[in-house]
Amino acid sequence: MIHDREIVGAPPPPPDGEPVLTSRNAGPSGLEPVARPVRDPQPLLDRTIGEWGGHDDLWLFGYGSLIWRPDFDFTERRAARVHGWHRALKMWSRVNRGTVQHPGLVFGLLSGGSCQGMVFRVPAADGLETLGRLWLREMPTGVYDPRWLDCVTPGGRVRALAFTLSRRSPNFTGELSDARYRQIFQSAIGRYGTSIDYARQTLIELQRHAIHDRALARLVRLAEDELSALADCSAATGSLYMNGGQAAAPASGSEPAASDRSESDTFQEKP
């Protein structure tokens, strides 16, 4: 068995499928909001188990946090690509990576384009237990649509279970502007940390496996540039007071940051 929980050393994994919260179920101000399921996840689990059958080993496709925190034992892991779906940071998180007042973001697998990720092989004998644990983590409110996808790997094609997101889901963000992403990255923090840390950790792990996602790299760079600008502004303000109101002259000859020219495995949607 392969154990990858130590990759990040994080606390027990949060479910990435976030609940939909409204003023009716958010609870009194200052108290933990009460999650209202989007739909009952049990029938989805029963259907998935029936489609799998239980006789063959179980394959699972990871495209986000499952890559760097699988939280289950597996006997084999391969790089994989699926066609017709792409990874996108376009799913609202109001508990784990944000709050009702300042929603954060987690990944969803949206239709269109293609996506590079990892597939994990779980022995048939462990499949039922693994699916049950995955449902607690990813499907507590039934947000995702579980699908069996054809995955292309160096060792051949495999049929793997993936958690996809419908654009009709109330947790789908739709198109977000750069300004909105900056705002979310600055303000969104939930019980398991910030949205920017979640995005950055995913990017690091993708790069560790030689998976290049130009769209995600751009978003992380966008957030880091904003944080750097805020730090520079704070430092400049401090120097004004220290130097009696005389600001230092800007440095000359600075070069712009090089653009990311890596291959992207994400799908660019039309507004």
Side-chain angles (χ1 to χ4, degrees):
M1 289 291 183
I2 301 174
H3 306 267
D4 262 15
R5 297 187 188 91
E6 67 275 12
I7 287 179
V8 179
D16 287 341
E18 290 293 335
V20 175
L21 302 174
T22 68
S23 59
R24 292 194 300 273
N25 64 5
S29 177
L31 298 181
E32 191 71 21
V34 178
R36 172 177 294 181
V38 174
R39 54 187 166 174
D40 184 359
Q42 186 61 45
L44 296 171
L45 175 58
D46 294 340
R47 187 190 72 189
T48 299
I49 292 173
E51 292 170 343
W52 167 49
H55 304 294
D56 300 321
D57 289 348
L58 174 68
W59 286 93
L60 303 167
F61 178 71
Y63 57 90
S65 63
L66 280 181
I67 297 178
W68 48 271
R69 192 181 55 230
D71 195 47
F72 54 81
D73 298 332
F74 53 91
T75 57
E76 185 181 0
R77 175 176 56 191
R78 304 179 192 171
R81 179 183 288 273
V82 297
H83 293 278
W85 300 88
H86 69 282
R87 174 176 42 245
L89 197 61
K90 293 182 179 180
M91 181 170 167
W92 291 120
S93 173
R94 298 178 177 88
V95 175
N96 293 332
R97 297 289 171 173
T99 64
V100 176
Q101 293 78 17
H102 300 287
L105 296 170
V106 291
F107 289 103
L109 196 63
L110 297 175
S111 60
S114 65
C115 177
Q116 281 187 282
M118 307 292 295
V119 287
F120 302 86
R121 184 174 190 165
V122 177
D126 300 328
L128 279 177
E129 179 187 359
T130 299
L131 284 174
R133 293 175 63 181
L134 273 177
W135 245 248
L136 290 175
R137 167 177 169 164
E138 305 288 343
M139 293 284 288
T141 60
V143 155
Y144 286 115
D145 295 324
R147 294 178 186 273
W148 296 95
L149 301 181
D150 189 30
C151 303
V152 180
T153 82
R157 292 177 180 267
V158 299
R159 179 172 172 262
L161 179 67
F163 293 98
T164 69
L165 180 67
S166 169
R167 289 181 176 81
R168 295 188 298 273
S169 169
N171 281 35
F172 174 56
T173 66
E175 292 299 317
L176 298 174
S177 66
D178 285 356
R180 185 72 173 107
Y181 273 113
R182 288 192 188 98
Q183 181 186 41
I184 294 168
F185 288 145
Q186 288 178 33
S187 62
I189 180 171
R191 65 173 66 174
Y192 292 109
T194 64
S195 291
I196 183 55
D197 284 346
Y198 170 88
R200 185 185 292 115
Q201 183 59 59
T202 301
L203 178 63
I204 290 171
E205 194 64 13
L206 290 176
Q207 292 173 338
R208 192 172 82 89
H209 292 287
I211 298 173
H212 304 288
D213 187 328
R214 187 170 56 188
L216 176 57
R218 189 187 75 84
L219 288 178
V220 171
R221 188 169 61 247
L222 185 75
E224 291 177 343
D225 288 348
E226 181 72 11
L227 292 174
S228 177
L230 290 173
D232 290 344
C233 181
S234 177
T237 301
S239 69
L240 283 174
Y241 288 102
M242 292 175 63
N243 298 328
Q246 297 297 319
S252 60
S254 59
E255 294 291 334
S259 61
D260 186 348
R261 297 182 177 86
S262 61
E263 291 294 325
S264 173
D265 58 73
T266 55
F267 175 66
Q268 302 300 317
E269 296 174 273
K270 297 180 179 179

